[in-house]
């Protein structure tokens, strides 16, 4: 059995101040709990995180130094050419990419599982509103900053009116005329009409399927909160409101009140507390088990941007059916590899270590059915939160904390699991960020700085030599320049041809996927609509008592809920998985097509370097052989403001469905009346109502099919032209820039070099002095980059060694 060893102050270290990582499957029993054996000390964690931030800043400084050197070179007559402009563009792009690098973590899970408490514990303070409602799905994005700031993003009036109008389709009350197309919540008469309509609803319409009717809750919330937000929202644009400093906590008034939260689209917090790095965004995602399936579609949109999903499960409830459904959605999306689980423990719910251990094993077994070998960390988020702010706790909470601390078995176990989770995050994020720095930025800066140094060396050599040697050098360079221009032309032609061919393949893939006849997703949706069977028998007895409009409303809500749920849980994940596969295809296709041409460049580079060194003693252009890799796709999308079209959500329905159904019901009522007058037998008093109801459902299905085909066609075209093609262009442009970086030192304008030969001796001496200083600066930059490479390689290797270290 392996032995547990504790680092100095390791047991009670904070989330990101400690760094521990376990890899061995063997568990050690302690205080009745099973814990992992291998740990990495907090001192090493501080080194890792601080080193990363230092290297990042050093790399930004190197980039700044190169930009300054390029500006200086361009200001010297006879040394400026287009290659410097291209290199400057590359450096500016790299600066943007480094600054825009954000690692996104989505905290998801069912309502009341402790998501907000968990996020609060990460930032060591009670900043997020706990126990937010379910009317709206707000993604609260939190990052570390220099001050306390809350940024509330509101819906526009157009969005609010559209949501309310959609909720009013088939609304049963006669107080509201659903055909009123000029509805606007800002109009007092419209608000009064809806209030009257809501007041006429009977209990069976306010509560459906054992939950409050979503539409009535939504409408009531909008009406209740109107007076408090009427001066904030704008007609078309998103209004943004900020709460800073002492006013920061005021944002909770909006999040915690359904009548205000319903008006929000997004919430972003900046918190000057905790050990989370400023380039890590933690998102508290509400609504994974919301009764409104459209909220799930909103969460799916955010999950597409994340590097890690933290799924929070309450130890009070364990894994529920809603969890299984949502985890199945994540698996279908193809992102289950990036998920870890927090079993959020309530110490008061468990009598012993055995009781909690049994729950852990049960939850692990249930999750394993969806995700084999899940990463699970069992800790108390509320305990961690209280621990981080002991001095600010109320008397009641201080007593709770003291009681939990006395229960050493639970508290020590939570400490250990908290530290283990911190080590996991540190290891994952650090290794990913180091790799990003090394692969996507350092090599390009090395090529640029080497190319600049080489150009300076060529110019210096020409100035210091005679006309014969200068002419000889220019001729040699001209030969290689001609060859490199040919390779460059071939490479650009190949890349342009590849982009054209790739777009055609993408067009075919997307059209086939969304095809109305043979397509995978649209065919399934249409079959679902066609096969949907309304439970008419449930409503048959209530037709007379509740009235036809009310029953039609209930049937409609049941159908819409089923259709929206099917879209969110079955169709959207398939679309996401398809899009991710297309993204991968774009990257691999572009990287593969440039391989042979990159080899040609490398061979020409070797030949050129040999000639320049042997004949003129000029240092070679740096160009290590390595596979060209494009930057992270999410980073490219972020820096180019490219967003995937929102997931397909609710279908908009026409109020004409209700009008037609009521008219049909009236027609059948007239027929029944005529039969009575003629004293003809009526087999079923409710026959007319059922026939009208079935006709209404059939009409509803027809409109849904028609709307679905339209939306899928529109979404298909958006995916093609607003996303896939633009992503292809963005990645191909970056790839083109990477390749051109290697050409710049070869294809410069030789007329500039010839101009140097004809200068007066005094001008040559002055320019030689300037070039000497610039050459020294270029050499220092190259040395800095080499040092950065060594540091990065050393720390990455160190992390890997520590991660697998186990004490026996």
């Amino acid at each position: 059995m392996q032995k547990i060893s504790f680092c100095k102050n390791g047991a009670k270290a904070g989330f990101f101040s400690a760094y521990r990582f376990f890899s061995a499957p063997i568990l050690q029993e302690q205080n009745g709990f099973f814990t992992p054996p291998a740990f990495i000390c907090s001192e090493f964690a501080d080194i890792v995180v601080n080193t990363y931030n230092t290297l990042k800043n050093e790399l930004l400084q190197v980039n700044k130094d190169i930009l300054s050197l390029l500006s200086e070179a361009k200001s010297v007559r006879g040394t400026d050419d287009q290659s410097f402009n291209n290199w400057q563009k590359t450096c500016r792009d790299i600066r943007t990419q480094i600054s825009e690098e954000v690692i996104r973590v989505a905290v998801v899970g069912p309502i009341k599982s402790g998501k907000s408490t968990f996020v609060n514990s990460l930032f060591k303070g009670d900043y997020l509103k706990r126990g937010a409602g379910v009317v709206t799905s707000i993604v609260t994005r939190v990052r570390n900053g220099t001050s306390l700031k809350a940024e509330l993003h509101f819906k526009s009036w157009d969005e609010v009116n559209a949501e309310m109008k959609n909720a009013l389709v088939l609304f049963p009350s006669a107080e509201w005329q659903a055909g009123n197309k000029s509805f606007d919540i800002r109009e007092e008469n419209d608000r009064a009409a809806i209030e009257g309509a809501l007041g006429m609803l009977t209990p069976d319409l306010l509560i459906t399927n054992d939950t409050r009717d979503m539409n009535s809750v939504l409408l009531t919330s909008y009406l209740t909160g109107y007076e408090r937000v009427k001066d904030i929202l704008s007609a078309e644009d998103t209004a943004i409101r900020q709460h800073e400093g002492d006013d920061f906590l005021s944002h909770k008034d909006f999040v915690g009140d359904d009548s205000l939260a319903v008006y929000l689209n997004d919430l972003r917090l900046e918190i000057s507390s905790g050990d989370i790095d400023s380039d890590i965004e933690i998102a508290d995602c509400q609504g994974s088990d919301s009764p409104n399936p459209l909220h799930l579609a909103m969460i799916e949109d955010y999950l597409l941007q994340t590097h890690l999903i933290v799924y929070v499960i309450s130890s009070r409830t364990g894994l529920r059916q809603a969890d299984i459904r949502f985890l199945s959605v994540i698996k279908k999306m193809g992102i289950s590899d990036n998920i870890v689980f927090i079993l959020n423990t309530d110490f008061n719910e468990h009598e012993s270590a055995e009781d909690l251990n049994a729950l852990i094993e049960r939850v692990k077994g249930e999750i394993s059915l969806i995700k084999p070998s899940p990463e699970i960390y069992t800790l108390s988020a509320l305990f961690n939160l209280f621990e981080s702010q002991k001095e600010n706790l109320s008397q009641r909470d201080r007593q709770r904390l003291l009681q939990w601390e006395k229960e050493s078995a639970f508290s020590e176990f939570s400490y250990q699991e908290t530290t283990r989770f911190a080590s996991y995050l540190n290891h994952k994020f650090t290794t990913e960020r180091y790799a990003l720095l090394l692969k996507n930025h350092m090599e390009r800066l090395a090529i640029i700085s080497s190319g600049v140094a080489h150009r300076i060396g060529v110019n210096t050599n020409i100035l210091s030599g005679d006309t014969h040697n200068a002419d000889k050098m220019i001729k040699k360079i001209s030969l290689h320049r001609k060859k490199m221009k040919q390779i460059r032309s071939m490479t650009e032609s190949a890349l342009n041809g590849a982009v054209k061919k790739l777009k055609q393949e993408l067009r075919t893939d997307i059209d086939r996927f969304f095809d109305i006849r043979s397509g995978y997703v649209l065919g399934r949706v249409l079959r679902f609509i066609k096969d949907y069977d309304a439970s008419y028998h449930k409503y048959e007895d209530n037709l007379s008592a509740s009235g036809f409009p009310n029953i039609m409303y209930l049937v409609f809500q049941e159908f819409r809920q089923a259709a929206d749920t099917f879209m969110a849980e079955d169709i959207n994940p398939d679309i996401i998985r398809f899009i991710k596969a297309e993204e991968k295809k774009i990257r691999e296709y572009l990287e593969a097509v440039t391989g042979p041409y990159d080899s040609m460049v490398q061979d020409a580079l070797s030949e050129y370097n040999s000639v320049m060194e042997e004949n003129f003693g000029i240092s070679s252009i740096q160009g290590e052989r390595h596979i060209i890799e494009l930057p992270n796709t999410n980073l490219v999308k972020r820096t180019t403001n490219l967003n995937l079209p929102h997931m397909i959500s609710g279908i908009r329905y026409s109020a004409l469905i209700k009008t037609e159904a009521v008219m049909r019901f009236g027609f059948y009522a007239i027929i029944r009346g005529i039969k009575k007058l003629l004293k003809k037998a009526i087999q079923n008093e409710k026959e007319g109502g059922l026939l009208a109801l079935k006709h209404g459902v059939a009409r509803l299905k027809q409109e849904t099919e028609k709307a679905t085909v339209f939306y899928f066609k529109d979404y298909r075209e958006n995916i093609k032209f607003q996303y896939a093609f633009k992503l292809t262009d963005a990645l191909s442009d970056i790839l083109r820039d990477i390749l051109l970086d290697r050409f710049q030192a070869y294809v410069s304008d030789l007329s500039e070099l010839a101009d140097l030969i004809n200068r007066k001796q005094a001008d040559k001496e002055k320019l030689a002095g300037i070039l000497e200083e610039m050459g020294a600066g270029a050499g220092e930059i190259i040395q800095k980059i080499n040092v950065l490479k060594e540091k990065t390689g050393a720390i990455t290797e160190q992390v890997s060694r520590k991660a697998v270290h186990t004490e026996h």
Side-chain angles (χ1 to χ4, degrees), residues 180-240:
N180 182 7
K181 295 183 179 180
S182 61
F183 166 76
D184 192 329
I185 189 176
R186 290 168 290 183
E187 296 294 330
E188 186 176 354
N189 290 338
D190 286 349
R191 294 198 304 276
I194 296 177
E195 287 176 0
L198 288 169
M200 298 293 291
L201 294 181
T202 57
D204 60 320
L205 296 175
L206 292 172
I207 298 178
T208 57
N209 296 323
D210 299 323
T211 60
R212 290 187 64 189
D213 176 62
M214 291 186 303
N215 294 310
S216 61
V217 173
L218 184 76
L219 294 170
T220 301
S221 298
Y222 271 131
L223 292 174
T224 304
Y226 172 78
E227 290 296 330
R228 292 182 62 182
V229 303
K230 64 181 181 181
D231 296 325
I232 299 176
L233 275 66
S234 63
E236 297 177 356
D237 299 327
T238 298
I240 299 176

Side-chain angles (χ1 to χ4, degrees), residues 58-220:
E58 288 179 5
L59 191 62
L60 284 169
Q61 184 59 49
V62 165
N63 192 68
K64 184 179 179 181
D65 292 342
I66 294 176
L67 280 169
S68 297
L69 184 63
L70 289 169
S71 296
E72 186 179 358
K74 288 179 64 178
S75 67
V76 179
R77 185 169 177 265
T79 61
D80 180 27
D81 64 31
Q82 184 58 37
S83 61
F84 288 170
N85 293 330
N86 293 331
W87 279 332
Q88 281 183 315
K89 177 183 179 300
T90 297
C91 287
R92 286 192 292 267
D93 289 344
I94 289 175
R95 180 179 60 197
T96 300
Q97 289 177 13
I98 294 176
S99 302
E100 289 288 328
E101 179 201 345
V102 177
I103 292 180
R104 288 185 164 87
V105 181
V107 179
V108 300
I111 298 166
K112 303 298 184 182
S113 61
K115 298 185 298 298
S116 299
T117 303
F118 174 74
V119 175
N120 279 331
S121 70
L122 293 179
F123 288 92
K124 299 183 177 180
D126 210 358
Y127 300 109
L128 277 71
K129 176 69 177 180
R130 289 182 272 152
V134 300
V135 173
T136 186
S137 178
I138 304 172
V139 175
T140 304
R141 308 162 192 258
V142 192
R143 291 176 67 173
N144 210 331
T146 57
S147 62
L148 282 176
K149 183 170 71 175
E151 194 173 87
L152 285 68
H153 293 240
F154 289 85
K155 299 172 183 175
S156 66
W157 284 122
D158 289 346
E159 290 175 311
V160 171
N161 286 330
E163 280 191 25
M164 296 185 72
K165 195 165 185 178
N166 196 46
L168 287 165
V169 173
L170 292 186
F171 207 66
S173 176
E175 294 293 321
W176 168 251
Q177 299 300 318
N180 182 7
K181 295 183 179 180
S182 61
F183 166 76
D184 192 329
I185 189 176
R186 290 168 290 183
E187 296 294 330
E188 186 176 354
N189 290 338
D190 286 349
R191 294 198 304 276
I194 296 177
E195 287 176 0
L198 288 169
M200 298 293 291
L201 294 181
T202 57
D204 60 320
L205 296 175
L206 292 172
I207 298 178
T208 57
N209 296 323
D210 299 323
T211 60
R212 290 187 64 189
D213 176 62
M214 291 186 303
N215 294 310
S216 61
V217 173
L218 184 76
L219 294 170
T220 301

Side-chain angles (χ1 to χ4, degrees), residues 278-297:
S278 59
D279 58 0
I280 296 176
E281 178 180 278
I282 310 291
D284 180 6
C285 300
Q286 299 289 342
S288 64
D289 61 342
S290 166
N292 188 347
L294 303 187
H295 292 173
L296 177 56

Side-chain angles (χ1 to χ4, degrees), residues 431-448:
T431 52
E432 284 187 2
R433 290 189 292 186
Y434 273 110
L436 190 66
L437 277 176
L438 181 62
K439 292 180 180 179
N440 292 343
H441 305 310
M442 287 186 188
E443 290 300 334
R444 294 189 72 183
L445 290 179
I447 290 172
I448 293 172

